[in-house]
Amino acid sequence: MGLELYLDLLSQPCRAIYIFAKKNRIPFEMRTVELLKGQHLSDAFAQVNPLKKVPALKDGDFTLAESVAILLYLCRKYEVPDHWYPQDLQARARVDEYLAWQHTALRNSCTRAMWQKMMFPVFLGEQVPPETLASTLAELERCLQLLEDKFLKDQDFLAGPHISVADLVAITELMHPVSAGCQVFKSRPKLAAWRQRVEAAVGKDLFQEAHAVVMKAKDLPPADSAIKEKLKPLVQVLLQ
Amino acid sequence: MGSGGRWGVAARTVCEFPGSLGFAESLGSRVGSFRPAMGLELYLDLLSQPCRAIYIFAKKNRIPFEMRTVELLKGQHLSDAFAQVNPLKKVPALKDGDFTLAESVAILLYLTRKYKVADHWYPQDLQACARVDEYLAWQHTTLRRSCLRALWHKVMFPVFLGEPVSPEMLATTLAELDVTLQLLEDKFLQNKAFLIGPHVSLADLVAITELMHPVGAGCQVFEGRPKLAAWCRRVKAAVGEDLFREAHEVILKAKDSPPADPTIKQKLMPAVLAMIQ
């Protein structure tokens, strides 16, 4: 077995890894783990990632969880072009800074926005209280503002003049609320321009391919009660 | 061809314009009419777990730095002056000449690379390095979160902010902490001496400083967990007992914090609530 990537393109970090691997022509076996069918909760998958989450990597006997760790592993092992994770001390620090910040900021608000606005009503057949949704969208706004003001600023990409893994992680996050109908780029020309640049750098076809699943999420048939039961713990977390 | 390039000027002048003094003065650092060239500055409050990890790392590796204490319980992180260093208004923050940096993981990695520390802290080996990255990524939303909540729900809310926390809320928080500690043991530590292998790494520093948070709150984190207790002893030995104690003086006195005055309380509440979400 060569490199195996356990992914569900419904998930933002999975998309970042998918795009990165494809763009860099890293040969891998795609192992789809369907979150909405609860496949990540299986004993079989726990052998790959005891944390029961995607993305996960298996390279021979070596297994690895956490998208940031996976991206950096792929950067190093496949010796990708420098701009993805620059050697320059300060440029690299800027990428690290973004990758650290996003865990509890943009990741959080994008996941909640997408689930509360769309997945709850469409897939789970539940309405989220308007105040909860409003608060989530306000938090998303706040994160987007930080993304623009603190990270992007007047640069072409988040860590400087060239695309890096930080941009992949960010753009795939933002597509989450976009898939739920949030007009993330509408009133933010700076972010919209950055998005165009990232898409161009990645390749429009690859970008679209990676986002096909999430963009169709709004057309999902409602979940059956067995699935709803399985996803209950997740639901609790997403409503907090 | 670096993408970011150098941020700052190549050499600092000895004499600064008076206008630039305001910022340094407002943070209480010692300045005169002339400001000498600034080396590495670390903006820390040892009340904070990630600050402790950075403090220990820098001291252990004899990295020369100016300590800039930012007192969280006085709301100093919310000042306009500090926002110049970190617009995210959080500690830790780093300033190296004109280069500023937020996020403890980014700071630890920057120090690791710039000061060329011993390999075991962040190994060159592809898989060992990946294990450190894996831990550093995982901890943000798990151990960090539950240790923070344990301290604030058990001690800081009632003692410092004068806000009661319901027994159910506290119980939930401590139960979450328990689950996370189990994951730390089962998924990360397993039967190894340190989190990623036979030697102490950044992962251990980040983890141990987290665990000292609930310890500071009076939680018996190591009771009934001999594996974690043994690991803790090894990390302390690797770091040095004195340095470890020094770094943890503040947190171990957290439960004796005098109550916040109403102005401070009002100032801090939104940030605190956001932090422990």
Side-chain angles (χ1 to χ4, degrees):
Chain A
M1 256 316 136
L3 179 69
E4 296 165 81
L5 295 176
Y6 291 76
L7 309 174
D8 181 341
L9 296 181
L10 186 68
S11 135
Q12 315 93 301
C14 289
R15 296 195 288 271
I17 286 165
Y18 183 83
I19 290 172
F20 184 76
K22 288 273 177 177
K23 178 68 184 171
N24 287 286
R25 303 182 194 287
I26 294 171
F28 69 94
E29 290 284 337
M30 173 87 161
R31 300 276 178 243
T32 301
V33 179
E34 290 191 64
L35 295 172
L36 298 185
K37 291 185 179 165
Q39 288 177 357
H40 55 304
L41 303 170
S42 73
D43 291 337
F45 181 63
Q47 298 296 311
V48 178
N49 184 9
L51 298 169
K52 302 183 195 273
K53 290 183 176 184
V54 285
L57 169 153
K58 194 167 191 290
D59 197 0
D61 286 331
F62 180 66
T63 56
L64 188 64
E66 292 296 332
S67 59
V68 169
I70 293 170
L71 282 167
L72 298 184
Y73 177 84
L74 295 176
C75 276
R76 291 170 178 132
K77 180 169 178 181
Y78 296 92
E79 288 167 353
V80 300
D82 181 75
H83 63 81
W84 288 113
Y85 192 55
Q87 281 281 69
D88 177 80
L89 183 68
Q90 292 186 3
R92 181 167 284 198
R94 285 264 99 73
V95 178
D96 288 333
E97 189 187 52
Y98 182 76
L99 295 179
W101 174 78
Q102 57 87 27
H103 285 281
T104 52
L106 201 61
R107 153 69 56 82
N108 215 13
S109 52
C110 287
T111 304
R112 283 145 103 70
M114 189 262 204
W115 276 79
Q116 290 179 8
K117 191 171 195 296
M118 181 178 71
M119 297 299 278
F120 269 88
V122 164
F123 184 64
L124 297 174
E126 287 182 28
Q127 286 302 327
V128 168
E131 316 80 62
T132 308
L133 180 58
S135 157
T136 294
L137 295 178
E139 181 56 28
L140 176 61
E141 277 301 306
R142 206 187 63 83
C143 287
L144 292 175
Q145 199 60 52
L146 274 170
L147 180 66
E148 270 199 45
D149 296 343
K150 149 77 186 157
F151 293 99
L152 185 57
K153 296 187 285 209
D154 291 314
Q155 302 171 123
D156 275 355
F157 296 96
L158 293 181
H162 305 290
I163 192 173
S164 72
V165 291
D167 301 282
L168 285 190
V169 170
I171 200 77
T172 50
E173 283 302 335
L174 294 192
M175 293 306 289
H176 235 47
V178 165
S179 75
C182 296
Q183 305 281 23
V184 155
F185 298 104
K186 198 165 184 208
S187 53
R188 293 178 182 278
K190 225 186 202 180
L191 278 191
W194 162 76
R195 177 210 172 149
Q196 299 300 337
R197 286 191 291 272
V198 174
E199 272 195 57
V202 153
K204 282 202 184 271
D205 287 346
L206 175 55
F207 191 86
Q208 257 162 30
E209 184 191 321
H211 287 92
V213 171
V214 75
M215 294 308 286
K216 284 186 303 202
K218 63 187 181 316
D219 304 321
L220 282 166
D224 64 41
S225 45
I227 286 292
K228 274 196 200 179
E229 198 53 43
K230 244 180 178 171
L231 296 180
K232 227 179 189 171
L234 172 69
V235 164
Q236 308 278 48
V237 170
L238 289 172
L239 278 180
Q240 261 172 355
Chain B
M1 174 164 59
S3 60
R6 283 282 153 191
W7 281 51
V9 294
R12 304 284 298 185
T13 52
V14 171
C15 168
E16 298 281 347
F17 289 108
S20 69
L21 294 177
F23 162 55
E25 272 177 326
S26 71
L27 285 180
S29 17
R30 177 186 45 80
V31 291
S33 312
F34 294 94
R35 191 148 79 87
M38 265 305 150
L40 178 69
E41 295 165 82
L42 296 176
Y43 291 77
L44 309 175
D45 182 339
L46 296 181
L47 184 68
S48 135
Q49 321 94 299
C51 289
R52 296 194 287 270
I54 286 166
Y55 183 83
I56 291 172
F57 184 73
K59 288 270 175 178
K60 178 69 184 172
N61 288 285
R62 303 183 194 286
I63 294 170
F65 69 95
E66 291 283 337
M67 175 86 161
R68 299 275 178 246
T69 301
V70 179
E71 287 185 83
L72 297 172
L73 299 187
K74 289 183 180 169
Q76 288 177 356
H77 56 304
L78 303 172
S79 73
D80 290 338
F82 182 64
Q84 298 295 310
V85 177
N86 184 9
L88 299 169
K89 300 181 195 275
K90 291 181 177 186
V91 286
L94 168 154
K95 194 165 190 288
D96 197 1
D98 285 334
F99 180 67
T100 56
L101 187 63
E103 293 296 331
S104 58
V105 169
I107 292 170
L108 284 166
L109 295 178
Y110 178 85
L111 296 176
T112 295
R113 289 165 181 141
K114 181 170 178 180
Y115 296 91
K116 301 192 184 12
V117 303
D119 180 73
H120 63 81
W121 289 112
Y122 192 60
Q124 281 282 71
D125 177 78
L126 183 68
Q127 291 186 5
C129 189
R131 287 271 165 263
V132 180
D133 288 335
E134 188 187 53
Y135 182 76
L136 294 180
W138 174 79
Q139 56 87 26
H140 286 281
T141 53
T142 51
L143 199 61
R144 155 67 56 83
R145 185 172 177 272
S146 46
C147 287
L148 204 55
R149 284 163 76 85
L151 176 76
W152 280 81
H153 286 162
K154 193 169 197 299
V155 163
M156 301 307 279
F157 265 101
V159 168
F160 177 64
L161 293 174
E163 292 282 323
V165 171
S166 73
E168 303 81 54
M169 165 124 279
L170 181 57
T172 306
T173 294
L174 296 178
E176 264 170 30
L177 176 60
D178 224 52
V179 168
T180 322
L181 291 175
Q182 201 59 52
L183 272 171
L184 181 66
E185 268 199 46
D186 297 342
K187 150 77 186 157
F188 292 97
L189 183 58
Q190 296 167 337
N191 292 310
K192 310 194 288 297
F194 295 95
L195 289 183
I196 66 138
H199 305 290
V200 76
S201 72
L202 294 179
D204 301 283
L205 280 193
V206 170
I208 201 77
T209 50
E210 284 300 337
L211 293 192
M212 293 305 289
H213 237 46
V215 166
C219 297
Q220 305 289 6
V221 153
F222 298 106
E223 202 171 287
R225 294 184 183 276
K227 229 185 200 178
L228 277 191
W231 162 75
C232 177
R233 282 193 296 272
R234 286 191 291 270
V235 177
K236 277 186 184 174
V239 152
E241 304 270 346
D242 288 345
L243 175 55
F244 190 88
R245 194 179 310 123
E246 186 190 319
H248 287 95
E249 260 170 35
V250 173
I251 187 63
L252 291 175
K253 287 187 298 202
K255 56 190 175 321
D256 306 320
S257 301
D261 69 47
T263 327
I264 284 291
K265 185 176 168 177
Q266 200 179 39
K267 206 179 183 183
L268 294 181
M269 262 317 224
V272 167
L273 291 174
M275 174 183 72
I276 63 161
Q277 234 184 356

